[in-house]
Amino acid sequence: MDAAALCRPASFFPRPAGPGQRRRSGGSLASGSFPSAGRFPGPWPCRFLRSASSSASQWGMGVRCRAAGTESKAASDAAVRSGEPGQDRLLKVPVSNIRNFCIIAHIDHGKSTLADKLLQLTGTVQMREMKEQFLDNMDLERERGITIKLQAARMRYVLDNVPYCLNLIDTPGHVDFSYEVSRSLAACEGALLVVDASQGVEAQTLANVYLALENNLEIIPVLNKIDLPGAEPDRVAREMEEIIGLDCSTAIQCSAKEGIGIAEILNSIVTRIPPPNDTSQSPLRALIFDSYYDPYRGVIVYFRVVDGSIRKGDKIYFMASGKDYFADEIGVLSPNQMQVDELYVGEVGYLSASIRSVADARVGDTITHFGRRAASSLPGYEEATPMVFCGLFPVDADQFPELRDALEKLQLNDAALKFEPETSSAMGFGFRCGFLGLLHMEIVQERLEREYNLTLITTAPSVVYRVNCANGDIIECSNPSLLPEPGKRRSIEEPFVKIEMLTPKEYIGSLMELGQERRGEFKEMNYITENRASLIYELPLAEMVGDFFDQLKSRTKGYASMEYSFVGYRESDLVKLDVQINGEPVEPLSTIVHKDKAYAVGRALTQKLKELIPRQMFKIPIQACVGSKVIASESLSAIRKDVLSKCYGGDISRKKKLLKKQAEGKKRMKAVGKVEVPQEAFMAVLRLEKEVM
């Protein structure tokens, strides 16, 4: 019996007829037909073992089964010894045979698909386990087609009968996570630059290439999607040479979806990317490039060993946080976690040490031995600084404790998330949260709603302003309510970003108009090819947190792309715009705007509030103010009762007396009356703020 037969269900094997039973016609082994599956109840492995043991002497099968199993194991062992791709990924190789690389690309240029093919061709992931975007674990990543949380995978590849260890360190692609990208690149010696052969070089491609060049990585250009009808690999290769300055004569043309050119990419990784420096005798230094929280094991740290080696049970020390732990478990990611006893120079792995807080093992920190510490930490470590703030409030006030617990759990997996309690007269209790950028804010909000079943209200995003006070103090202000009075502040500074927009030449005018509208300062324009241009502006971050990206895409029919980077704080003519309803300031509607835009924003706010606030028995003034000066005003007319309806003629003085009495009553009512602004009005105004700002 062959090994394949062992995998068949027991119903495929006939059972000898017992005493007094007739064998079904055609049921003999020689005939090739088998009893129906319904004859034998119970799980098939048990049936098979029972029938094989009880009737082995009748069939003469017992020896055959054992022989088949032995042959299968022998074949498997032979495959491992032969060094087939994917086998024995834990097998140690010399440092000179280790290759650490990452894949950098613009969104939707095929980075995740290429990673899938590399895992598949090297045998790291079996076909039965394979799925699209294998390294993207979150549903949110699959839906949006972006990488949010980076992953790592160890692959074994054999070239000319020499085994190599390839470590793929996947990177998130969005500008919000540029710090994580820089740490991932610092853990590599080379990078695959993937460019869509039909779309060409995009803004994010350039930004990631510059990051890779700063880290002195060997860059291998790859032209993906050559199977598409609109692919122009020769044109895109010339574009890459002109824009980036890379020699693309040896660029690899591939189609990750069809599996074309994948072997050439693997060969290039081995031959062109340099191995790590062998510093195995130096004190341990390992770079943390990612960490996440496991509810059972604590913080799991992803790291790359730069110097020395680390063994299971070693006492380790985190140089930036100053914490020390015992390494209870170390291993490699292939892409699932596989335990090992030791990791040495150049290897990439994970570490579990019962760490309770992600803050103890931040991205960019350096791991060393507690007893034999390194003289200096690895360069480039930074604290994550939130750039965009917004308020998160539960729609149902009873969900406030659940929101707090959810944010605490999410912060364990995302050290860049910052939050503090906030109270709003309009929306009750909530939290003021800080994010790395707009995409980070959207992802956190969506994860809170999906994973923790919360329904949230999000206020308009704002940025962190820096206030220079008259007494010399500097205050960072993320909420308009924290802004000091005009007499106490000397100036206000706001964050500026440098933005690069790549666009077809026919849309240059509309994008320049957009940049001017958003208080942008024009820097330069370059024609990167005959039909495409690069526009560089410096503009306030506050102008970008609205609908800037949507406007960019709509004005260019989706063809333009953008990339931005923080350049610093600059002094601007900013004012606090307050909204007063019936003479009472409504703090949740206050905002910080540029002086030139204050009137337009105030006008839009007052008009929208007039439509949304319900009428009262008295007249309600709605005013937008800068300090004590009213710059825009609307009034909501009173609901008027007809007090003259009972007068059927008579003297006019009687009517005047009734009207005067009504006016005095309304005046008294206005003095003591309170206007309740409905929550729908706040939500509509917040949406309006995003549009107007």
Side-chain angles (χ1 to χ4, degrees):
M1 182 179 295
D2 60 351
L6 294 174
C7 301
R8 294 175 184 154
S11 55
F12 278 91
F13 300 100
R15 188 165 61 182
Q21 292 181 350
R22 287 179 53 195
R23 178 173 290 181
R24 291 187 179 183
S25 60
S28 66
L29 192 63
S31 69
S33 59
F34 304 105
S36 63
R39 282 186 64 189
F40 309 120
W44 71 265
C46 301
R47 296 198 310 271
F48 172 68
L49 292 172
R50 185 171 60 249
S51 61
S53 59
S54 62
S55 55
S57 59
Q58 299 179 35
W59 291 350
M61 283 183 58
V63 177
R64 287 188 191 176
C65 290
R66 284 196 299 273
T70 307
E71 288 168 9
S72 175
K73 185 178 186 306
S76 175
D77 292 343
V80 172
R81 285 195 303 271
S82 67
E84 285 187 6
Q87 300 292 340
D88 247 7
R89 297 191 293 278
L90 299 183
L91 189 68
K92 297 292 186 182
V93 298
V95 177
S96 58
N97 288 9
I98 295 176
R99 300 291 185 270
N100 296 320
F101 71 100
C102 61
I103 305 174
I104 53 179
H106 189 76
I107 291 172
D108 201 32
H109 278 207
K111 179 162 69 80
S112 296
T113 310
L114 178 58
D116 290 349
K117 285 296 179 185
L118 294 176
L119 294 174
Q120 195 173 329
L121 190 64
T122 56
T124 307
V125 179
Q126 301 300 322
M127 282 298 294
R128 64 178 178 272
E129 301 170 351
M130 198 63 204
K131 58 185 178 182
E132 290 186 1
Q133 294 174 263
F134 187 87
L135 293 178
D136 294 341
N137 297 328
M138 295 165 55
D139 293 336
L140 202 54
E141 292 177 310
R142 296 173 178 280
E143 289 172 17
R144 289 177 173 249
I146 58 176
T147 301
I148 297 168
K149 198 68 180 166
L150 64 87
Q151 299 292 330
R154 177 180 176 129
M155 298 175 280
R156 180 178 169 84
Y157 183 63
V158 179
L159 180 65
D160 298 331
N161 293 324
V162 179
Y164 290 89
C165 171
L166 310 182
N167 290 310
L168 165 62
I169 300 176
D170 195 18
T171 57
H174 198 270
V175 64
D176 285 3
F177 311 110
S178 59
Y179 175 61
E180 283 89 336
V181 174
S182 72
R183 295 299 84 209
S184 299
L185 295 179
C188 300
E189 279 81 32
L192 298 178
L193 172 61
V194 179
V195 178
D196 191 325
S198 57
Q199 296 183 27
V201 177
E202 302 279 0
Q204 210 167 300
T205 313
L206 285 175
N208 289 335
V209 166
Y210 295 149
L211 272 176
L213 291 173
E214 285 175 14
N215 284 278
N216 298 319
L217 301 192
E218 177 67 31
I219 297 176
I220 302 174
V222 176
L223 300 174
N224 193 21
K225 303 187 183 182
I226 59 168
D227 59 312
L228 294 181
E232 300 175 89
D234 295 335
R235 175 187 68 81
V236 174
R238 288 196 305 272
E239 199 173 284
M240 291 170 70
E241 288 183 344
E242 293 171 7
I243 300 171
I244 305 171
L246 287 176
D247 179 14
C248 293
S249 58
T250 57
I252 302 169
Q253 298 187 15
C254 79
S255 169
K257 188 174 182 181
E258 300 297 328
I260 302 168
I262 306 300
E264 288 85 343
I265 291 174
L266 286 166
N267 293 342
S268 295
I269 290 169
V270 170
T271 56
R272 295 177 59 179
I273 293 177
N277 295 323
D278 189 351
T279 54
S280 52
Q281 302 305 316
S282 303
L284 170 65
R285 287 199 305 174
L287 174 68
I288 300 175
F289 60 84
D290 193 25
S291 62
Y292 75 94
Y293 188 81
D294 185 287
Y296 300 103
R297 297 187 293 165
V299 177
I300 307 297
V301 175
Y302 291 176
F303 65 94
R304 179 254 166 101
V305 182
V306 179
D307 299 322
S309 62
I310 180 172
R311 294 185 64 85
K312 181 179 178 181
D314 286 352
K315 189 174 184 181
I316 56 172
Y317 179 75
F318 296 97
M319 299 185 75
S321 62
K323 304 288 184 178
D324 58 273
Y325 294 93
F326 285 97
D328 302 329
E329 177 188 329
I330 62 171
V332 298
L333 301 145
S334 189
N336 299 320
Q337 295 178 0
M338 304 169 74
Q339 292 190 42
V340 298
D341 291 327
E342 183 184 13
L343 291 173
Y344 55 81
V345 171
E347 290 194 291
V348 174
Y350 73 92
L351 164 74
S352 173
S354 303
I355 305 169
R356 295 189 177 184
S357 172
V358 175
D360 291 352
R362 291 184 179 274
V363 173
D365 201 348
T366 303
I367 304 173
T368 188
H369 281 130
F370 184 79
R372 189 189 175 203
R373 298 186 190 180
S376 61
S377 59
L378 295 165
Y381 174 74
E382 293 177 9
E383 289 280 350
T385 306
M387 297 297 297
V388 175
F389 284 80
C390 79
L392 290 178
F393 297 88
V395 171
D396 183 1
D398 294 338
Q399 284 191 326
F400 175 75
E402 296 171 31
L403 174 59
R404 182 182 57 231
D405 293 343
L407 282 169
E408 287 172 354
K409 289 176 182 175
L410 205 56
Q411 193 180 40
L412 291 173
N413 282 319
D414 188 353
L417 173 64
K418 302 283 192 295
F419 64 92
E420 59 183 19
E422 183 183 35
T423 306
S424 167
S425 58
M427 288 167 278
F429 294 100
F431 291 92
R432 188 79 179 169
C433 302
F435 309 95
L436 296 173
L438 283 178
L439 179 70
H440 189 207
M441 183 183 81
E442 288 177 26
I443 288 165
V444 168
Q445 182 190 353
E446 201 156 342
R447 286 187 68 184
L448 287 170
E449 291 180 345
R450 284 189 184 197
E451 297 175 19
Y452 301 98
N453 297 319
L454 298 170
T455 309
L456 301 175
I457 298 171
T458 311
T459 63
S462 62
V463 300
V464 182
Y465 296 96
R466 192 177 285 169
V467 184
N468 298 311
C469 300
N471 60 4
D473 292 344
I474 298 176
I475 299 174
E476 289 195 345
C477 174
S478 62
N479 195 335
S481 62
L482 303 175
L483 195 68
E485 295 297 321
K488 295 181 181 179
R489 60 178 188 253
R490 191 170 68 249
S491 62
I492 304 176
E493 297 177 0
E494 62 178 334
F496 269 68
V497 293
K498 178 183 177 182
I499 179 170
E500 182 174 10
M501 299 176 280
L502 266 63
T503 175
K505 64 179 183 181
E506 56 264 31
Y507 304 115
I508 291 174
S510 58
L511 285 190
M512 292 183 81
E513 183 183 354
L514 176 64
Q516 298 296 334
E517 288 175 2
R518 300 303 173 98
R519 297 193 284 130
E521 181 183 331
F522 176 74
K523 287 299 178 184
E524 61 177 309
M525 180 179 74
N526 298 312
Y527 274 89
I528 52 180
T529 63
E530 186 180 344
N531 295 316
R532 298 183 75 202
S534 165
L535 290 170
I536 297 178
Y537 274 85
E538 288 186 1
L539 67 146
L541 180 61
E543 299 288 345
M544 276 197 56
V545 299
D547 60 342
F548 186 90
F549 185 73
D550 297 336
Q551 285 287 328
L552 176 94
K553 288 294 184 183
S554 62
R555 292 185 185 218
T556 60
K557 300 180 181 176
Y559 286 109
S561 59
M562 59 169 269
E563 183 74 17
Y564 68 89
S565 58
F566 177 68
V567 294
Y569 278 83
R570 296 184 189 173
E571 187 175 324
S572 296
D573 196 359
L574 300 172
V575 294
K576 181 184 177 186
L577 181 69
D578 292 309
V579 175
Q580 293 187 357
I581 299 176
N582 195 29
E584 293 290 327
V586 184
E587 200 61 48
L589 295 178
S590 298
T591 183
I592 298 173
V593 296
H594 193 267
K595 191 174 182 180
D596 296 342
K597 287 195 167 186
Y599 173 74
V601 175
R603 193 84 190 148
L605 285 174
T606 53
Q607 289 177 349
K608 194 69 178 178
L609 284 169
K610 183 181 178 181
E611 298 172 10
L612 297 168
I613 295 176
R615 292 171 67 193
Q616 307 289 328
M617 294 298 293
F618 51 91
K619 184 179 178 181
I620 303 172
I622 304 169
Q623 299 167 322
C625 312
V626 175
S628 58
K629 182 181 178 182
V630 177
I631 60 170
S633 178
E634 294 285 341
S635 60
L636 199 61
S637 59
I639 300 174
R640 184 172 179 273
K641 180 183 176 183
D642 189 6
V643 294
L644 303 181
S645 59
K646 57 186 177 183
C647 298
Y648 300 101
D651 190 10
I652 189 68
S653 60
R654 173 66 178 160
K655 295 181 180 179
K656 284 183 177 181
K657 185 178 178 181
L658 289 171
L659 291 171
K660 185 179 178 183
K661 186 178 179 182
Q662 184 188 37
E664 288 174 354
K666 286 191 179 293
K667 186 177 179 182
R668 189 167 57 253
M669 189 187 296
K670 182 179 180 180
V672 298
K674 186 177 179 181
V675 181
E676 293 288 343
V677 182
Q679 201 172 64
E680 294 79 16
F682 280 100
M683 294 314 302
V685 168
L686 291 174
R687 284 193 295 271
L688 178 72
E689 275 187 25
K690 292 177 186 177
E691 296 166 8
V692 175
M693 295 290 287

